[in-house]
Amino acid sequence: MEYNPKFGPVAQTPSQRRLVLRRLQDAIPGLRTKATLYARRLYVRYVAGELSWTEVRQALDAQR
């Protein structure tokens, strides 16, 4: 697998991104429990490698 700087050193594979997302959800109140359908879809795209976490945050911030 080729390194992709878009995701950083600990989020190169879907399973690593899933773990990163889980840790973020545990650390940030409401990230999981108050997530809209739109946010949950972005999270799925992040885990799949379609979006970086920065792109997820930008999309969520633009929605507000």
Side-chain angles (χ1 to χ4, degrees), residues 1 3-26 28 31 37-60:
M1 174 179 46
Y3 177 79
N4 186 339
K6 176 178 176 177
F7 297 107
V10 297
Q12 291 295 303
T13 66
S15 61
Q16 289 173 326
R17 287 188 290 276
R18 191 175 299 108
L19 180 59
V20 168
L21 176 60
R22 185 171 298 135
R23 287 180 178 169
L24 285 167
Q25 289 172 326
D26 290 344
I28 301 170
L31 195 65
L37 178 59
Y38 176 69
R40 290 192 303 267
R41 287 180 179 159
L42 291 173
Y43 298 162
V44 168
R45 291 181 65 195
Y46 166 72
V47 171
E50 296 175 22
L51 299 172
S52 69
W53 185 252
T54 301
E55 291 167 324
V56 170
R57 289 304 319 161
Q58 289 172 344
L60 290 173

